Amino acid sequence: KKYHRKQWYQRRVRAEMTQFHEDMFSLIEKFLDIEANVVALTEDRALNSGIKEFRKKLSELPEELFKLELAVNSLHEELEEEMEGVSSSRRNVSSCDKIWHLAMNLNPADGHYMDYLTGWHTGSAIGSEENALAMDYLDRLVWKEPVDYLAIVRHQHGIVDAVKVFQFKYWGLSMKDRFSDMNPGRVIASEGGPIQVSVDTNAPNLEDDPIFSVDGDLALNWWGNYRASRIMITGGFTEGDLLTYHGLGNHMNCACQSGSNRDSNYRFEVSNIQKCPYSSCSKPVVQGTDFASTSYFKAGPVYGNYALFVSLRADKFPEPGTELERLMEIC
């Protein structure tokens, strides 16, 4: 386990450094344009000299970054050698490849709106690693990795009380890929329902939970008219009642296929299964306080945080009662 964690963090460092490398060269190119424009604008020797000195320092950064990359690669080689020295039985444990990574966490009462248009299709980082399981969170690196399994985990302060695991119908796509498919969207992303359903016998609020009170397959980017949910379970809606399109990451007045906003007052994070036809139900009940306007929604109790864990190979998630971490191993 120790070795796999080291490998995971090394992969993250490498990915971050690669991105930083690209950003840095782009920055240097932009600064060269700025320098040329300043030279054309003024003959102030002091200013031009200062710009040239700054450009010189900027041009030295790629070499320093290269040295850092060599050091990271050296650490990787040392880790491989260390693993070679581990006994066969220990090595089998450390080579576990059934790993779950926290991709997103939704807290419907933290003051941040994780609605249909926030984060899902852009993959922008949200929140911090320190509060990853307590506040809204999106890991931008995990969001870009290809995954074949999704675990939707409801938890109470980091302790699992309910989990559903789905195997994606289409393999090898990242979460960013899957949530960028908004036009036409309306993706049934699994077949045959969840491959695991585990619910604590004492778990509360199961009668109208958007994930755990209904059966069916995983539906992504589901919309009708101007209303949409990023994640739903197919048993939780009917075609004739648009306001029952409730799940995780919701909006009731967006240009859903293009991923743009029509009216920001209609954003909300987590809803419940409810019969709320447009003609007779003006204020659907949503979990917590993460909704844009009291004119359109009613605050309801928070049933828990909803964490999205993803994996390339793991097809079973730890049972209720387990304490969550950002990286969960199943070996």
Side-chain angles (χ1 to χ4, degrees):
K1 185 173 183 178
K2 174 180 67 175
Y3 298 117
H4 184 85
R5 287 182 183 276
K6 285 185 178 180
Q7 287 177 321
W8 165 240
Y9 283 114
Q10 284 186 1
R11 286 198 299 271
R12 288 181 70 97
V13 169
R14 283 174 158 177
E16 292 279 12
M17 289 176 66
T18 299
Q19 183 63 52
F20 182 72
H21 222 142
E22 296 174 359
D23 294 342
M24 182 174 58
F25 280 111
S26 176
L27 176 64
I28 293 174
E29 290 177 359
K30 290 178 180 179
F31 186 79
L32 289 174
D33 292 337
I34 293 173
E35 181 182 8
N37 291 333
V38 170
V39 170
L41 180 66
T42 179
E43 295 182 359
D44 187 314
R45 292 184 179 180
L47 178 59
N48 289 336
S49 176
I51 288 177
K52 288 180 180 179
E53 184 64 25
F54 182 81
R55 187 238 301 159
K56 180 181 178 181
K57 293 179 180 179
L58 196 60
S59 65
E60 293 172 354
L61 286 177
E63 183 178 353
E64 296 301 317
L65 182 61
F66 178 69
K67 292 177 182 178
L68 182 58
E69 288 175 324
L70 289 178
V72 171
N73 290 337
S74 177
L75 285 174
H76 176 72
E77 292 172 2
E78 290 176 9
L79 177 61
E80 293 297 318
E81 292 175 0
E82 188 177 357
M83 291 182 67
E84 286 298 321
V86 179
S87 67
S88 176
S89 61
R90 287 283 303 280
R91 187 161 59 246
N92 288 339
V93 172
S94 65
S95 64
C96 171
D97 63 354
K98 293 187 175 181
I99 310 298
W100 290 100
H101 300 288
L102 176 65
M104 177 182 283
N105 188 69
L106 302 177
N107 178 339
D110 68 348
H112 177 267
Y113 305 152
M114 205 76 151
D115 62 284
Y116 190 87
L117 303 177
T118 303
W120 301 85
H121 62 290
T122 64
S124 301
I126 294 172
S128 67
E129 293 183 355
E130 293 76 12
N131 294 310
L133 287 161
M135 311 283 280
D136 285 354
Y137 176 75
L138 188 153
D139 188 314
R140 68 181 184 88
L141 294 180
V142 174
W143 209 250
K144 296 177 182 178
E145 291 292 322
V147 295
D148 293 338
Y149 297 90
L150 170 67
I152 305 177
V153 184
R154 198 181 80 174
H155 63 94
Q156 312 297 331
H157 306 291
I159 304 300
V160 178
D161 76 350
V163 58
K164 277 188 177 181
V165 175
F166 295 90
Q167 181 179 13
F168 284 116
K169 185 191 303 185
Y170 303 108
W171 287 29
L173 300 175
S174 68
M175 295 293 274
K176 187 176 186 298
D177 293 330
R178 298 179 192 281
F179 288 108
S180 294
D181 185 6
M182 298 179 290
N183 189 6
R186 297 170 69 92
V187 179
I188 303 298
S190 67
E191 288 182 317
I195 59 176
Q196 177 188 343
V197 179
S198 301
V199 180
D200 190 287
T201 55
N202 296 317
N205 300 313
L206 294 176
E207 64 279 357
D208 60 351
D209 185 284
I211 305 300
F212 299 99
S213 69
V214 291
D215 299 321
D217 276 302
L218 184 67
L220 307 181
N221 309 324
W222 206 263
W223 60 271
N225 200 355
Y226 302 124
R227 300 168 177 84
S229 295
R230 283 296 185 176
I231 292 181
M232 300 180 58
I233 307 300
T234 56
F237 64 84
T238 58
E239 284 293 331
D241 184 2
L242 296 180
L243 287 190
T244 60
Y245 289 174
H246 292 324
L248 309 179
N250 307 281
H251 205 299
M252 283 175 55
N253 198 353
C254 66
C256 311
Q257 290 174 281
S258 64
S260 57
N261 195 26
R262 284 170 50 88
D263 188 335
S264 60
N265 288 318
Y266 287 88
R267 298 173 293 152
F268 62 110
E269 191 160 318
V270 179
S271 184
N272 297 326
I273 303 300
Q274 58 198 284
K275 189 71 174 178
C276 190
Y278 183 74
S279 60
S280 60
C281 177
S282 60
K283 288 187 177 183
V285 177
V286 302
Q287 287 193 34
T289 54
D290 288 352
F291 55 90
S293 174
T294 56
S295 298
Y296 303 106
F297 305 103
K298 295 178 183 178
V302 174
Y303 293 178
N305 278 213
Y306 294 81
L308 306 183
F309 281 84
V310 295
S311 179
L312 191 60
R313 297 180 179 87
D315 55 3
K316 183 174 175 56
F317 198 85
E319 294 293 314
T322 302
E323 184 174 359
L324 293 172
E325 300 180 40
R326 288 189 297 114
L327 186 150
M328 306 289 290
E329 295 184 357
I330 304 294
C331 301

